[in-house]
Amino acid sequence: MTQPNDTTRCGLVAIVGRPNVGKSTLLNRLLGQKVSITSRKPQTTRHRILGIDTEGDYQAIYVDTPGLHSEEKSAMNRYMNRAASSSLAEVGLVLFVIEGTRWNDDDEMVLSKVKASGLPCYLIVNKMDKVDDKEAFMVHLQGLSEKYKFEHIIPISAKQGKMVDDIRELVAKSLPESEFFFPEDYITDRSSRFMAAEIIREKLMRFTGDELPYATTVEIEQFKLAENGVYRISGLILVERETQKRMIIGKGGKHLKTIGEHARKDMENLFDNKVFLEMWVKVKQGWADDERALRSLGYSDDS
Ligand SMILES: Nc1nc2c(ncn2[C@@H]2O[C@H](COP(=O)(O)OP(=O)(O)OP(=O)(O)O)[C@@H](O)[C@H]2O)c(=O)[nH]1
């Protein structure tokens, strides 16, 4: 936990590169395989947050910057964190990811954008585990080093996790002194849970409308990455009365099924992953006594 008087560092780091060079794999490694980082949430029109790495006194916010490469991905901004949106500074560093000894027109195009940005840049040469001819690679590396004033050229294997910690350390050191833009736990499993609950709540409201009791809450009881790569998400909808429960479930479970289908699609879009969603509805007991319900509303110290 950082204390108010501690000096903290925080900044935006763009990860760019043509498709398939291993950007997501690298990011997962940088963030320690946190489930939530696969969500691709937009921040502003210029930056999309890919993941936040907070440790000790630093916070590195990895972003996707559409202007820096050709790829365009559709983005959802409804779930944007409003508190953070206004204060985000500009990107201060670029990680330009390429692949082994391959260099093609797309890489060249990304490079031209990096050059135009004038930003400090680390060239990350990924998939080194596939490079057999080390001598040829050294020659290639020499050529690469002449293309731009890269601050560092770092050969890595994101898949094997090799050299990734070195990148993390260099990034951490390069960040400017600044307060954290996000709470320390932002974009962790818990945030993903929050997003999942928000999506279910949104669908409940959409398909139940004004009839939805105000006090209805959604709690994500399970959010885990199953071995088959699917997110298993269990959502519990808490209502106050049996009649409300029946209304949400609908005849033969039809209403809840519709809500679930729509929620699942939005989650897959947001988390960029297949989702298996289970939901059930429960009548809650005493309202104020229900610690879990309060937690889900954010009335607890650790939320
Ligand atoms: N051999 C090897 N394969 C890797 C490495 N890093 C990533 N890959 C593989 O390369 C493929 C693409 O990786 P991604 O991380 O999805 O690449 P990306 O750049 O995020 O791709 P886009 O999402 O299309 O932009 C996957 O099959 C990865 O398993 C590596 O270090 N070595």
Side-chain angles (χ1 to χ4, degrees):
M1 259 296 199
T2 50
Q3 301 302 315
N5 292 329
D6 289 350
T7 308
T8 54
R9 282 166 298 139
C10 179
L12 267 63
V13 181
I15 301 187
V16 301
R18 69 171 156 79
N20 220 38
V21 287
K23 297 183 294 295
S24 309
T25 312
L26 169 63
L27 186 72
N28 282 336
R29 288 284 183 185
L30 286 166
L31 300 178
Q33 305 277 9
K34 288 177 207 160
V35 161
S36 48
I37 54 82
T38 42
S39 89
R40 297 191 169 176
K41 294 193 298 304
Q43 187 50 54
T44 67
T45 47
R46 275 193 284 175
H47 311 306
R48 281 197 289 265
I49 296 208
L50 298 173
I52 302 172
D53 175 22
T54 307
E55 197 178 298
D57 66 349
Y58 81 87
Q59 180 168 78
I61 303 163
Y62 291 99
V63 298
D64 191 5
T65 303
L68 284 176
H69 60 116
S70 54
E71 252 181 298
E72 259 304 335
K73 290 203 169 95
S74 68
M76 295 172 68
N77 53 21
R78 276 177 300 151
Y79 301 105
M80 196 166 85
N81 180 307
R82 249 178 275 127
S85 62
S86 55
S87 60
L88 280 185
E90 293 301 311
V91 167
L93 177 69
V94 180
L95 303 186
F96 174 17
V97 187
I98 59 169
E99 195 180 331
T101 46
R102 287 183 61 185
W103 181 270
N104 64 24
D105 288 351
D106 287 342
D107 296 307
E108 197 65 54
M109 210 265 294
V110 180
L111 175 70
S112 69
K113 305 267 183 167
V114 172
K115 278 183 177 166
S117 80
L119 289 165
C121 178
Y122 300 174
L123 183 68
I124 312 292
V125 191
N126 191 29
K127 307 199 186 181
M128 283 306 293
D129 54 292
K130 288 211 296 200
V131 174
D132 294 325
D133 189 342
K134 301 290 176 207
E135 259 176 58
F137 177 71
M138 292 314 284
V139 176
H140 179 63
L141 211 58
Q142 182 59 37
L144 291 174
S145 68
E146 285 159 15
K147 285 185 187 287
Y148 186 63
K149 271 199 226 150
F150 297 113
E151 301 234 327
H152 301 278
I153 298 182
I154 313 167
I156 70 161
S157 169
K159 203 173 188 171
Q160 298 176 340
K162 289 205 172 128
M163 296 296 287
V164 174
D165 280 345
D166 298 65
I167 300 176
R168 228 175 140 228
E169 276 170 34
L170 287 169
V171 168
K173 276 190 215 152
S174 80
L175 297 170
E177 235 175 69
S178 160
E179 283 180 6
F180 289 173
F181 295 150
F182 292 91
E184 288 174 42
D185 65 345
Y186 200 82
I187 312 211
T188 62
D189 303 17
R190 192 156 58 173
S191 300
S192 293
R193 282 171 181 254
F194 177 77
M195 296 297 181
E198 281 296 285
I199 289 173
I200 295 174
R201 258 165 49 83
E202 186 205 69
K203 300 304 166 201
L204 272 169
M205 262 147 67
R206 187 167 137 204
F207 291 100
T208 316
D210 294 339
E211 298 154 87
L212 185 75
Y214 179 70
T216 305
T217 58
V218 177
E219 208 178 290
I220 302 300
E221 299 228 295
Q222 186 193 56
F223 191 123
K224 70 173 191 191
L225 182 61
E227 273 175 17
N228 58 2
V230 171
Y231 286 167
R232 286 191 76 97
I233 301 174
S234 308
L236 176 63
I237 300 164
L238 292 162
V239 294
E240 286 181 311
R241 279 187 284 280
E242 199 61 40
T243 47
Q244 296 164 344
K245 177 176 166 176
R246 279 202 296 271
M247 179 184 81
I248 288 173
I249 293 173
K251 248 200 183 132
K254 232 174 137 185
H255 195 235
L256 188 62
K257 198 173 163 214
T258 307
I259 291 167
E261 277 166 7
H262 283 81
R264 181 182 53 78
K265 276 190 197 136
D266 267 18
M267 287 178 193
E268 288 185 339
N269 199 355
L270 183 70
F271 301 131
D272 207 8
N273 204 75
K274 273 228 160 304
V275 168
F276 177 79
L277 175 66
E278 282 174 319
M279 290 199 306
W280 58 90
V281 189
K282 209 172 110 181
V283 179
K284 66 189 160 205
Q285 314 295 317
W287 168 243
D289 301 336
D290 192 334
E291 208 192 297
R292 285 192 316 177
L294 281 176
R295 240 191 296 133
S296 74
L297 280 174
Y299 292 140
S300 93
D301 286 337
D302 66 347
S303 64

